[in-house]
């Protein structure tokens, strides 16, 4: 037998104000998206996902049977199209007559699928042009435990972080060990609420080594609000050994709140 239900999809590599469309065989019912418009559709129609947000799940109604089957989803973000096969199975029906989410073994775009533009010589120099690129750094270091040692991140555009609750890059366990060149570009509207957690700033904890010294330079921060416990800074909460920090500007509204070791540029 067959029935209708929902599969949950999340897009991580999503530029600001991106146009997102979704089509697949077997789509039926009403698109339900958190923070997005509800759109009635008929089977095989193309769905326009209105107000899609980076990292926020939305739900696609599909028809599926009792056995696991595969549907092919095609999603277009601006001009780039992704084709993904998703395995689904009909969910059970709750007391409220609402089907459970179908089982889906793939998200459309994972952070592992996204890599910022690398230099032609493949020397580990990355050009960072938007908020998604910066979020990639945080994900690589904080979630995947990659230090990015020996790599240099260079800003090529001004980046506005408005609306993003920023997670400081680098923790006590996973420290950022690469270099970062702001290239004189501006990162604006940085907002961090680290609660009582230590090491809060655009970078939480950075540290080089005797054989791999690092540089954080040429960064302009405008409108900065950072809250944390100990070691709180606009740019760096905790600056470890073998690190050079130079040519940093912090301007506009600057609010740094912490128990101790707090500064507009570096906490400790």
């Amino acid at each position: 037998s067959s029935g209708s239900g929902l599969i949950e999809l999340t897009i991580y590599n999503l530029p600001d104000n991106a146009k997102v469309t979704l089509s697949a065989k077997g789509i039926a019912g009403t698109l339900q998206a958190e923070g997005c418009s509800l759109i009635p559709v008929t089977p095989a129609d193309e769905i326009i996902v209105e107000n899609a947000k980076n990292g926020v799940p939305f739900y696609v109604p599909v028809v599926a049977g009792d056995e696991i089957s595969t549907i092919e989803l095609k999603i277009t973000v601006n001009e780039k199209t992704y084709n993904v096969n998703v395995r689904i199975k009909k969910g059970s029906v709750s007391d409220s007559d609402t089907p459970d989410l179908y089982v889906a073994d793939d998200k459309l775009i994972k952070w592992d699928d996204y890599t910022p533009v690398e230099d032609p010589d493949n020397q580990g120099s990355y050009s960072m042009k938007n908020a998604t690129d910066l979020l990639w750094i945080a994900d690589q270091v904080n979630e995947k435990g990659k230090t990015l040692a020996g790599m240099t991140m260079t800003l090529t555009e001004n980046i506005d972080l408005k609306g993003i609750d920023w997670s400081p890059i680098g923790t006590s366990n996973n420290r950022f060990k690469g270099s970062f060149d702001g290239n004189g570009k501006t990162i604006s509207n940085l907002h961090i609420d680290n609660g009582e957690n230590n090491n809060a700033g655009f970078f939480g904890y950075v540290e080089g080594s005797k054989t791999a010294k690092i540089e954080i330079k040429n960064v302009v921060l405008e409108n900065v609000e950072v809250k944390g416990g100990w070691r709180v800074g606009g740019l760096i909460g905790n600056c470890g050994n073998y690190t050079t920090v130079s040519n940093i500007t912090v301007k506009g509204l600057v609010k740094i709140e912490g128990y101790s070791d707090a500064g507009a540029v570096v906490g400790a």
Side-chain angles (χ1 to χ4, degrees), residues 92-134:
S92 60
V93 178
S94 68
D95 294 337
S96 61
D97 239 10
T98 303
D100 292 339
L101 292 182
Y102 286 141
V103 177
D105 61 3
D106 279 310
K107 292 182 179 178
L108 286 182
I109 306 171
K110 302 177 183 179
W111 277 113
D112 282 343
D113 300 327
Y114 180 83
T115 304
V117 177
E118 193 169 359
D119 69 345
D121 296 327
N122 197 26
Q123 296 298 313
S125 177
Y126 292 92
S127 298
M128 320 302 293
K129 62 185 182 300
N130 54 40
T132 303
D133 291 345
L134 297 181

mmCIF file of all heavy atoms in Angstrom, residues 92-134:
data_model
loop_
_atom_site.group_PDB
_atom_site.id
_atom_site.type_symbol
_atom_site.label_atom_id
_atom_site.label_comp_id
_atom_site.label_asym_id
_atom_site.label_seq_id
_atom_site.Cartn_x
_atom_site.Cartn_y
_atom_site.Cartn_z
ATOM 1 N N SER A 92 4.643 5.627 9.926
ATOM 2 C CA SER A 92 3.419 5.250 10.611
ATOM 3 C C SER A 92 2.537 6.485 10.793
ATOM 4 O O SER A 92 2.996 7.625 10.695
ATOM 5 C CB SER A 92 3.755 4.642 11.975
ATOM 6 O OG SER A 92 4.461 5.589 12.760
ATOM 7 N N VAL A 93 1.275 6.259 11.076
ATOM 8 C CA VAL A 93 0.337 7.364 11.256
ATOM 9 C C VAL A 93 0.106 7.577 12.743
ATOM 10 O O VAL A 93 -0.183 6.642 13.496
ATOM 11 C CB VAL A 93 -1.000 7.062 10.553
ATOM 12 C CG1 VAL A 93 -1.988 8.198 10.777
ATOM 13 C CG2 VAL A 93 -0.764 6.852 9.068
ATOM 14 N N SER A 94 0.236 8.802 13.193
ATOM 15 C CA SER A 94 0.079 9.113 14.607
ATOM 16 C C SER A 94 -1.404 9.283 14.948
ATOM 17 O O SER A 94 -2.279 9.237 14.083
ATOM 18 C CB SER A 94 0.838 10.391 14.948
ATOM 19 O OG SER A 94 0.216 11.499 14.317
ATOM 20 N N ASP A 95 -1.693 9.512 16.225
ATOM 21 C CA ASP A 95 -3.073 9.704 16.661
ATOM 22 C C ASP A 95 -3.718 10.904 15.990
ATOM 23 O O ASP A 95 -4.933 10.962 15.816
ATOM 24 C CB ASP A 95 -3.130 9.865 18.183
ATOM 25 C CG ASP A 95 -2.722 8.595 18.899
ATOM 26 O OD1 ASP A 95 -2.821 7.512 18.270
ATOM 27 O OD2 ASP A 95 -2.304 8.670 20.051
ATOM 28 N N SER A 96 -2.899 11.880 15.617
ATOM 29 C CA SER A 96 -3.432 13.091 15.003
ATOM 30 C C SER A 96 -3.569 12.942 13.492
ATOM 31 O O SER A 96 -3.812 13.909 12.791
ATOM 32 C CB SER A 96 -2.529 14.288 15.327
ATOM 33 O OG SER A 96 -1.232 14.069 14.804
ATOM 34 N N ASP A 97 -3.391 11.703 13.007
ATOM 35 C CA ASP A 97 -3.520 11.426 11.573
ATOM 36 C C ASP A 97 -2.399 12.053 10.746
ATOM 37 O O ASP A 97 -2.534 12.237 9.544
ATOM 38 C CB ASP A 97 -4.862 11.931 11.029
ATOM 39 C CG ASP A 97 -5.662 10.783 10.432
ATOM 40 O OD1 ASP A 97 -5.235 9.630 10.634
ATOM 41 O OD2 ASP A 97 -6.671 11.037 9.775
ATOM 42 N N THR A 98 -1.310 12.403 11.389
ATOM 43 C CA THR A 98 -0.172 12.994 10.686
ATOM 44 C C THR A 98 0.918 11.947 10.528
ATOM 45 O O THR A 98 1.374 11.380 11.521
ATOM 46 C CB THR A 98 0.397 14.190 11.465
ATOM 47 O OG1 THR A 98 -0.644 15.138 11.656
ATOM 48 C CG2 THR A 98 1.542 14.829 10.704
ATOM 49 N N PRO A 99 1.346 11.656 9.298
ATOM 50 C CA PRO A 99 2.391 10.643 9.111
ATOM 51 C C PRO A 99 3.706 11.079 9.742
ATOM 52 O O PRO A 99 4.023 12.273 9.811
ATOM 53 C CB PRO A 99 2.531 10.566 7.585
ATOM 54 C CG PRO A 99 1.311 11.220 7.036
ATOM 55 C CD PRO A 99 0.899 12.237 8.043
ATOM 56 N N ASP A 100 4.457 10.111 10.237
ATOM 57 C CA ASP A 100 5.807 10.406 10.688
ATOM 58 C C ASP A 100 6.668 10.784 9.489
ATOM 59 O O ASP A 100 6.297 10.547 8.341
ATOM 60 C CB ASP A 100 6.431 9.182 11.371
ATOM 61 C CG ASP A 100 5.735 8.866 12.688
ATOM 62 O OD1 ASP A 100 5.086 9.765 13.243
ATOM 63 O OD2 ASP A 100 5.843 7.707 13.139
ATOM 64 N N LEU A 101 7.832 11.338 9.780
ATOM 65 C CA LEU A 101 8.761 11.641 8.694
ATOM 66 C C LEU A 101 9.237 10.344 8.065
ATOM 67 O O LEU A 101 9.512 9.364 8.756
ATOM 68 C CB LEU A 101 9.970 12.416 9.227
ATOM 69 C CG LEU A 101 9.710 13.834 9.724
ATOM 70 C CD1 LEU A 101 11.022 14.455 10.167
ATOM 71 C CD2 LEU A 101 9.070 14.677 8.650
ATOM 72 N N TYR A 102 9.345 10.330 6.756
ATOM 73 C CA TYR A 102 9.912 9.180 6.087
ATOM 74 C C TYR A 102 11.394 9.086 6.417
ATOM 75 O O TYR A 102 12.055 10.078 6.718
ATOM 76 C CB TYR A 102 9.762 9.310 4.570
ATOM 77 C CG TYR A 102 8.360 9.090 4.073
ATOM 78 C CD1 TYR A 102 7.852 9.860 3.045
ATOM 79 C CD2 TYR A 102 7.559 8.101 4.613
ATOM 80 C CE1 TYR A 102 6.575 9.654 2.566
ATOM 81 C CE2 TYR A 102 6.273 7.881 4.144
ATOM 82 C CZ TYR A 102 5.784 8.662 3.128
ATOM 83 O OH TYR A 102 4.527 8.457 2.665
ATOM 84 N N VAL A 103 11.906 7.878 6.324
ATOM 85 C CA VAL A 103 13.337 7.674 6.516
ATOM 86 C C VAL A 103 14.077 8.178 5.284
ATOM 87 O O VAL A 103 13.755 7.802 4.159
ATOM 88 C CB VAL A 103 13.651 6.179 6.725
ATOM 89 C CG1 VAL A 103 15.157 5.978 6.859
ATOM 90 C CG2 VAL A 103 12.928 5.661 7.956
ATOM 91 N N ALA A 104 15.035 9.065 5.478
ATOM 92 C CA ALA A 104 15.851 9.558 4.366
ATOM 93 C C ALA A 104 17.312 9.402 4.754
ATOM 94 O O ALA A 104 17.728 9.836 5.813
ATOM 95 C CB ALA A 104 15.540 11.021 4.066
ATOM 96 N N ASP A 105 18.100 8.743 3.913
ATOM 97 C CA ASP A 105 19.482 8.455 4.283
ATOM 98 C C ASP A 105 20.468 9.474 3.726
ATOM 99 O O ASP A 105 21.673 9.321 3.867
ATOM 100 C CB ASP A 105 19.888 7.048 3.855
ATOM 101 C CG ASP A 105 19.800 6.836 2.348
ATOM 102 O OD1 ASP A 105 19.484 7.804 1.638
ATOM 103 O OD2 ASP A 105 20.049 5.712 1.894
ATOM 104 N N ASP A 106 19.990 10.528 3.084
ATOM 105 C CA ASP A 106 20.890 11.550 2.553
ATOM 106 C C ASP A 106 20.309 12.927 2.775
ATOM 107 O O ASP A 106 19.110 13.125 2.632
ATOM 108 C CB ASP A 106 21.105 11.374 1.035
ATOM 109 C CG ASP A 106 22.140 10.321 0.723
ATOM 110 O OD1 ASP A 106 23.228 10.396 1.304
ATOM 111 O OD2 ASP A 106 21.849 9.429 -0.088
ATOM 112 N N LYS A 107 21.176 13.853 3.140
ATOM 113 C CA LYS A 107 20.797 15.258 3.061
ATOM 114 C C LYS A 107 21.285 15.758 1.712
ATOM 115 O O LYS A 107 22.210 15.220 1.132
ATOM 116 C CB LYS A 107 21.445 16.064 4.191
ATOM 117 C CG LYS A 107 20.881 15.699 5.566
ATOM 118 C CD LYS A 107 21.513 16.536 6.655
ATOM 119 C CE LYS A 107 20.922 16.181 8.007
ATOM 120 N NZ LYS A 107 21.544 16.933 9.112
ATOM 121 N N LEU A 108 20.667 16.814 1.218
ATOM 122 C CA LEU A 108 20.988 17.217 -0.142
ATOM 123 C C LEU A 108 22.424 17.676 -0.293
ATOM 124 O O LEU A 108 23.139 17.271 -1.185
ATOM 125 C CB LEU A 108 20.040 18.342 -0.575
ATOM 126 C CG LEU A 108 18.621 17.867 -0.868
ATOM 127 C CD1 LEU A 108 17.780 19.030 -1.330
ATOM 128 C CD2 LEU A 108 18.630 16.793 -1.942
ATOM 129 N N ILE A 109 22.845 18.554 0.593
ATOM 130 C CA ILE A 109 24.209 19.081 0.473
ATOM 131 C C ILE A 109 24.834 19.068 1.863
ATOM 132 O O ILE A 109 24.296 19.653 2.792
ATOM 133 C CB ILE A 109 24.219 20.522 -0.078
ATOM 134 C CG1 ILE A 109 23.451 20.576 -1.405
ATOM 135 C CG2 ILE A 109 25.645 21.014 -0.280
ATOM 136 C CD1 ILE A 109 23.226 21.967 -1.911
ATOM 137 N N LYS A 110 25.939 18.399 1.999
ATOM 138 C CA LYS A 110 26.632 18.338 3.278
ATOM 139 C C LYS A 110 27.824 19.279 3.249
ATOM 140 O O LYS A 110 28.323 19.655 2.189
ATOM 141 C CB LYS A 110 27.111 16.914 3.549
ATOM 142 C CG LYS A 110 25.990 15.881 3.564
ATOM 143 C CD LYS A 110 26.557 14.485 3.765
ATOM 144 C CE LYS A 110 25.449 13.447 3.710
ATOM 145 N NZ LYS A 110 25.980 12.070 3.878
ATOM 146 N N TRP A 111 28.297 19.636 4.427
ATOM 147 C CA TRP A 111 29.479 20.509 4.474
ATOM 148 C C TRP A 111 30.659 19.870 3.756
ATOM 149 O O TRP A 111 31.482 20.540 3.171
ATOM 150 C CB TRP A 111 29.860 20.810 5.925
ATOM 151 C CG TRP A 111 29.058 21.926 6.514
ATOM 152 C CD1 TRP A 111 28.144 21.843 7.527
ATOM 153 C CD2 TRP A 111 29.058 23.301 6.119
ATOM 154 N NE1 TRP A 111 27.588 23.061 7.765
ATOM 155 C CE2 TRP A 111 28.132 23.974 6.933
ATOM 156 C CE3 TRP A 111 29.760 24.019 5.150
ATOM 157 C CZ2 TRP A 111 27.902 25.346 6.809
ATOM 158 C CZ3 TRP A 111 29.518 25.382 5.026
ATOM 159 C CH2 TRP A 111 28.600 26.028 5.847
ATOM 160 N N ASP A 112 30.739 18.542 3.805
ATOM 161 C CA ASP A 112 31.855 17.866 3.141
ATOM 162 C C ASP A 112 31.830 18.070 1.631
ATOM 163 O O ASP A 112 32.838 17.915 0.948
ATOM 164 C CB ASP A 112 31.820 16.367 3.444
ATOM 165 C CG ASP A 112 32.341 16.056 4.831
ATOM 166 O OD1 ASP A 112 33.015 16.931 5.408
ATOM 167 O OD2 ASP A 112 32.056 14.974 5.345
ATOM 168 N N ASP A 113 30.638 18.381 1.105
ATOM 169 C CA ASP A 113 30.521 18.598 -0.331
ATOM 170 C C ASP A 113 30.909 20.010 -0.734
ATOM 171 O O ASP A 113 30.985 20.337 -1.908
ATOM 172 C CB ASP A 113 29.077 18.347 -0.793
ATOM 173 C CG ASP A 113 28.639 16.921 -0.508
ATOM 174 O OD1 ASP A 113 29.507 16.037 -0.563
ATOM 175 O OD2 ASP A 113 27.458 16.720 -0.213
ATOM 176 N N TYR A 114 31.122 20.864 0.261
ATOM 177 C CA TYR A 114 31.378 22.273 -0.027
ATOM 178 C C TYR A 114 32.808 22.636 0.343
ATOM 179 O O TYR A 114 33.241 22.400 1.455
ATOM 180 C CB TYR A 114 30.409 23.160 0.760
ATOM 181 C CG TYR A 114 30.632 24.624 0.493
ATOM 182 C CD1 TYR A 114 30.068 25.215 -0.629
ATOM 183 C CD2 TYR A 114 31.434 25.392 1.320
ATOM 184 C CE1 TYR A 114 30.288 26.539 -0.906
ATOM 185 C CE2 TYR A 114 31.661 26.721 1.049
ATOM 186 C CZ TYR A 114 31.078 27.288 -0.062
ATOM 187 O OH TYR A 114 31.305 28.607 -0.341
ATOM 188 N N THR A 115 33.531 23.177 -0.592
ATOM 189 C CA THR A 115 34.891 23.648 -0.336
ATOM 190 C C THR A 115 35.054 25.024 -0.963
ATOM 191 O O THR A 115 34.721 25.220 -2.125
ATOM 192 C CB THR A 115 35.945 22.695 -0.941
ATOM 193 O OG1 THR A 115 35.731 21.386 -0.430
ATOM 194 C CG2 THR A 115 37.353 23.144 -0.573
ATOM 195 N N PRO A 116 35.544 25.990 -0.196
ATOM 196 C CA PRO A 116 35.774 27.313 -0.771
ATOM 197 C C PRO A 116 36.763 27.244 -1.931
ATOM 198 O O PRO A 116 37.492 26.269 -2.090
ATOM 199 C CB PRO A 116 36.354 28.113 0.396
ATOM 200 C CG PRO A 116 35.912 27.382 1.620
ATOM 201 C CD PRO A 116 35.871 25.938 1.226
ATOM 202 N N VAL A 117 36.806 28.298 -2.718
ATOM 203 C CA VAL A 117 37.691 28.343 -3.882
ATOM 204 C C VAL A 117 39.141 28.227 -3.426
ATOM 205 O O VAL A 117 39.618 28.976 -2.589
ATOM 206 C CB VAL A 117 37.493 29.654 -4.664
ATOM 207 C CG1 VAL A 117 38.465 29.729 -5.832
ATOM 208 C CG2 VAL A 117 36.062 29.748 -5.167
ATOM 209 N N GLU A 118 39.845 27.253 -3.988
ATOM 210 C CA GLU A 118 41.248 27.051 -3.641
ATOM 211 C C GLU A 118 42.128 27.672 -4.723
ATOM 212 O O GLU A 118 41.735 27.785 -5.874
ATOM 213 C CB GLU A 118 41.542 25.563 -3.527
ATOM 214 C CG GLU A 118 42.890 25.252 -2.864
ATOM 215 C CD GLU A 118 43.030 23.770 -2.534
ATOM 216 O OE1 GLU A 118 42.087 23.017 -2.812
ATOM 217 O OE2 GLU A 118 44.074 23.403 -2.000
ATOM 218 N N ASP A 119 43.324 28.103 -4.337
ATOM 219 C CA ASP A 119 44.177 28.783 -5.315
ATOM 220 C C ASP A 119 44.629 27.826 -6.420
ATOM 221 O O ASP A 119 44.676 26.611 -6.239
ATOM 222 C CB ASP A 119 45.386 29.417 -4.618
ATOM 223 C CG ASP A 119 46.369 28.391 -4.073
ATOM 224 O OD1 ASP A 119 46.000 27.198 -3.974
ATOM 225 O OD2 ASP A 119 47.485 28.769 -3.743
ATOM 226 N N PRO A 120 44.944 28.357 -7.600
ATOM 227 C CA PRO A 120 45.289 27.499 -8.743
ATOM 228 C C PRO A 120 46.481 26.582 -8.489
ATOM 229 O O PRO A 120 46.581 25.510 -9.075
ATOM 230 C CB PRO A 120 45.597 28.501 -9.859
ATOM 231 C CG PRO A 120 44.923 29.755 -9.446
ATOM 232 C CD PRO A 120 44.967 29.770 -7.951
ATOM 233 N N ASP A 121 47.395 27.033 -7.632
ATOM 234 C CA ASP A 121 48.594 26.229 -7.381
ATOM 235 C C ASP A 121 48.366 25.145 -6.329
ATOM 236 O O ASP A 121 49.287 24.403 -5.994
ATOM 237 C CB ASP A 121 49.744 27.136 -6.932
ATOM 238 C CG ASP A 121 50.152 28.110 -8.025
ATOM 239 O OD1 ASP A 121 50.059 27.734 -9.209
ATOM 240 O OD2 ASP A 121 50.530 29.243 -7.699
ATOM 241 N N ASN A 122 47.155 25.110 -5.780
ATOM 242 C CA ASN A 122 46.804 24.071 -4.814
ATOM 243 C C ASN A 122 47.769 24.042 -3.628
ATOM 244 O O ASN A 122 48.237 22.990 -3.205
ATOM 245 C CB ASN A 122 46.755 22.695 -5.498
ATOM 246 C CG ASN A 122 46.010 21.668 -4.661
ATOM 247 O OD1 ASN A 122 45.151 22.032 -3.862
ATOM 248 N ND2 ASN A 122 46.327 20.408 -4.849
ATOM 249 N N GLN A 123 48.043 25.220 -3.103
ATOM 250 C CA GLN A 123 48.978 25.332 -1.986
ATOM 251 C C GLN A 123 48.270 25.512 -0.645
ATOM 252 O O GLN A 123 48.859 25.970 0.327
ATOM 253 C CB GLN A 123 49.936 26.505 -2.230
ATOM 254 C CG GLN A 123 50.826 26.336 -3.442
ATOM 255 C CD GLN A 123 51.749 25.138 -3.329
ATOM 256 O OE1 GLN A 123 52.390 24.944 -2.304
ATOM 257 N NE2 GLN A 123 51.796 24.325 -4.364
ATOM 258 N N GLY A 124 46.980 25.206 -0.594
ATOM 259 C CA GLY A 124 46.254 25.333 0.670
ATOM 260 C C GLY A 124 45.904 26.758 1.013
ATOM 261 O O GLY A 124 45.793 27.113 2.188
ATOM 262 N N SER A 125 45.744 27.605 0.007
ATOM 263 C CA SER A 125 45.340 28.989 0.230
ATOM 264 C C SER A 125 43.896 29.138 -0.246
ATOM 265 O O SER A 125 43.614 28.957 -1.427
ATOM 266 C CB SER A 125 46.258 29.943 -0.534
ATOM 267 O OG SER A 125 45.835 31.275 -0.388
ATOM 268 N N TYR A 126 42.997 29.453 0.664
ATOM 269 C CA TYR A 126 41.576 29.516 0.346
ATOM 270 C C TYR A 126 41.086 30.952 0.288
ATOM 271 O O TYR A 126 41.408 31.772 1.154
ATOM 272 C CB TYR A 126 40.769 28.737 1.377
ATOM 273 C CG TYR A 126 41.003 27.251 1.321
ATOM 274 C CD1 TYR A 126 41.981 26.643 2.110
ATOM 275 C CD2 TYR A 126 40.265 26.449 0.470
ATOM 276 C CE1 TYR A 126 42.207 25.276 2.057
ATOM 277 C CE2 TYR A 126 40.474 25.078 0.398
ATOM 278 C CZ TYR A 126 41.446 24.499 1.200
ATOM 279 O OH TYR A 126 41.674 23.153 1.131
ATOM 280 N N SER A 127 40.276 31.257 -0.723
ATOM 281 C CA SER A 127 39.668 32.579 -0.863
ATOM 282 C C SER A 127 38.279 32.527 -0.245
ATOM 283 O O SER A 127 37.429 31.738 -0.667
ATOM 284 C CB SER A 127 39.573 32.967 -2.342
ATOM 285 O OG SER A 127 40.855 33.042 -2.921
ATOM 286 N N MET A 128 38.051 33.370 0.749
ATOM 287 C CA MET A 128 36.777 33.376 1.457
ATOM 288 C C MET A 128 35.968 34.577 0.985
ATOM 289 O O MET A 128 36.386 35.720 1.161
ATOM 290 C CB MET A 128 37.007 33.460 2.971
ATOM 291 C CG MET A 128 38.181 32.608 3.481
ATOM 292 S SD MET A 128 38.039 30.849 3.090
ATOM 293 C CE MET A 128 36.637 30.382 4.080
ATOM 294 N N LYS A 129 34.791 34.311 0.378
ATOM 295 C CA LYS A 129 34.044 35.402 -0.244
ATOM 296 C C LYS A 129 32.669 35.650 0.372
ATOM 297 O O LYS A 129 32.037 36.664 0.069
ATOM 298 C CB LYS A 129 33.866 35.112 -1.736
ATOM 299 C CG LYS A 129 33.073 33.858 -2.047
ATOM 300 C CD LYS A 129 33.052 33.569 -3.537
ATOM 301 C CE LYS A 129 32.216 32.321 -3.848
ATOM 302 N NZ LYS A 129 32.729 31.110 -3.190
ATOM 303 N N ASN A 130 32.183 34.748 1.227
ATOM 304 C CA ASN A 130 30.854 34.956 1.803
ATOM 305 C C ASN A 130 30.755 34.256 3.164
ATOM 306 O O ASN A 130 31.689 33.594 3.616
ATOM 307 C CB ASN A 130 29.759 34.457 0.853
ATOM 308 C CG ASN A 130 29.976 33.004 0.435
ATOM 309 O OD1 ASN A 130 30.378 32.171 1.250
ATOM 310 N ND2 ASN A 130 29.717 32.702 -0.830
ATOM 311 N N ALA A 131 29.592 34.425 3.804
ATOM 312 C CA ALA A 131 29.402 33.859 5.141
ATOM 313 C C ALA A 131 29.496 32.346 5.132
ATOM 314 O O ALA A 131 29.973 31.733 6.093
ATOM 315 C CB ALA A 131 28.051 34.307 5.700
ATOM 316 N N THR A 132 29.053 31.710 4.037
ATOM 317 C CA THR A 132 29.129 30.255 3.945
ATOM 318 C C THR A 132 30.569 29.776 4.009
ATOM 319 O O THR A 132 30.882 28.762 4.640
ATOM 320 C CB THR A 132 28.471 29.768 2.645
ATOM 321 O OG1 THR A 132 27.120 30.223 2.616
ATOM 322 C CG2 THR A 132 28.480 28.256 2.563
ATOM 323 N N ASP A 133 31.475 30.518 3.362
ATOM 324 C CA ASP A 133 32.893 30.153 3.417
ATOM 325 C C ASP A 133 33.416 30.203 4.852
ATOM 326 O O ASP A 133 34.167 29.330 5.296
ATOM 327 C CB ASP A 133 33.710 31.097 2.539
ATOM 328 C CG ASP A 133 33.441 30.905 1.060
ATOM 329 O OD1 ASP A 133 32.854 29.874 0.693
ATOM 330 O OD2 ASP A 133 33.812 31.784 0.269
ATOM 331 N N LEU A 134 33.036 31.248 5.588
ATOM 332 C CA LEU A 134 33.501 31.383 6.970
ATOM 333 C C LEU A 134 32.895 30.290 7.852
ATOM 334 O O LEU A 134 33.580 29.746 8.733
ATOM 335 C CB LEU A 134 33.145 32.760 7.514
ATOM 336 C CG LEU A 134 33.804 33.956 6.811
ATOM 337 C CD1 LEU A 134 33.381 35.262 7.478
ATOM 338 C CD2 LEU A 134 35.329 33.836 6.818
#
